[in-house]
């Protein structure tokens, strides 16, 4: 799979399973809508009050996995997650994701927290085969 094919894959799947570690060093995995790639980085938003935000701040190492049942294919991204404090990127993200405004209750804009995963490794498995690394 090429870089462009990886991007198309995650945009089709839309939801990844994001793994973080909690304060006791136990893994925590949850579904998160991660489908936007700007430059080399993967972007998603959440509410700043969620447990995953505290976990990423304490330990930025994360992994995200997107999967398709048909074809038993997966994309894995391992890297570090950071809060994004860039008005231009936030504006682009909101324009690309109009559902953000529908999800946020009136007056709750301060809860919006944009994050990016800076990938260290991108891997794919197409079918029941070992993962192969994608040049990123």
């Amino acid at each position: 799979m090429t870089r462009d094919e990886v991007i198309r894959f995650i945009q089709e799947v839309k939801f990844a399973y994001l793994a973080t570690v909690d304060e006791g060093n136990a893994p925590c995995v949850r579904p998160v809508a991660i489908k936007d790639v700007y430059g080399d980085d993967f972007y998603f938003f959440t509410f700043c009050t969620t447990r995953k935000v505290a976990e990423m701040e304490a330990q930025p190492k994360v992994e995200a996995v997107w999967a398709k049942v048909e074809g038993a294919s997966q994309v894995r991204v391992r890297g570090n997650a950071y809060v994004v404090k860039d008005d231009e990127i936030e504006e682009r993200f909101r324009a690309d994701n109009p559902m953000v405004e529908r999800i946020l209750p009136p007056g709750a804009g301060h809860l919006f927290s944009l994050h990016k995963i800076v990938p260290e490794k991108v891997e794919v498995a197409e079918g029941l085969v070992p993962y192969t690394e994608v040049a990123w």
Side-chain angles (χ1 to χ4, degrees):
M1 199 179 286
T2 67
R3 176 189 167 101
D4 288 341
E5 289 170 329
V6 165
I7 293 170
R8 278 194 300 278
F9 184 96
I10 69 168
Q11 288 174 340
E12 288 172 11
V13 175
K14 294 182 181 71
F15 280 88
Y17 288 91
L18 178 68
T20 59
V21 293
D22 70 12
E23 60 199 24
N25 217 24
C28 297
V29 180
R30 80 281 287 153
V32 178
I34 307 175
K35 64 172 191 59
D36 296 284
V37 178
Y38 306 142
D40 290 335
D41 304 330
F42 298 78
Y43 287 79
F44 64 97
F45 99 96
T46 188
F47 294 109
C48 64
T49 54
T50 63
R51 191 170 61 188
K52 68 182 155 290
V53 170
E55 291 166 354
M56 291 183 297
E57 287 174 352
Q59 169 51 268
K61 184 74 68 190
V62 299
E63 185 164 276
V65 178
W66 297 259
K68 286 184 181 178
V69 174
E70 62 281 355
S73 50
Q74 300 177 30
V75 169
R76 301 177 79 91
V77 173
R78 182 178 308 138
N80 290 302
Y82 302 100
V83 174
V84 176
K85 299 289 186 187
D86 180 316
D87 292 340
E88 186 177 315
I89 294 290
E90 184 176 325
E91 186 177 309
R92 178 178 178 188
F93 183 87
R94 286 176 180 261
D96 291 345
N97 296 279
M99 55 72 175
V100 169
E101 301 311 318
R102 292 191 301 271
I103 292 171
L104 289 171
H110 64 285
L111 296 175
F112 176 88
S113 186
L114 184 61
H115 296 262
K116 69 178 178 180
I117 300 172
V118 177
E120 294 174 356
K121 185 180 244 185
V122 177
E123 298 177 299
V124 300
E126 298 179 85
L128 301 174
V129 298
Y131 286 96
T132 58
E133 193 165 349
V134 176
W136 207 257

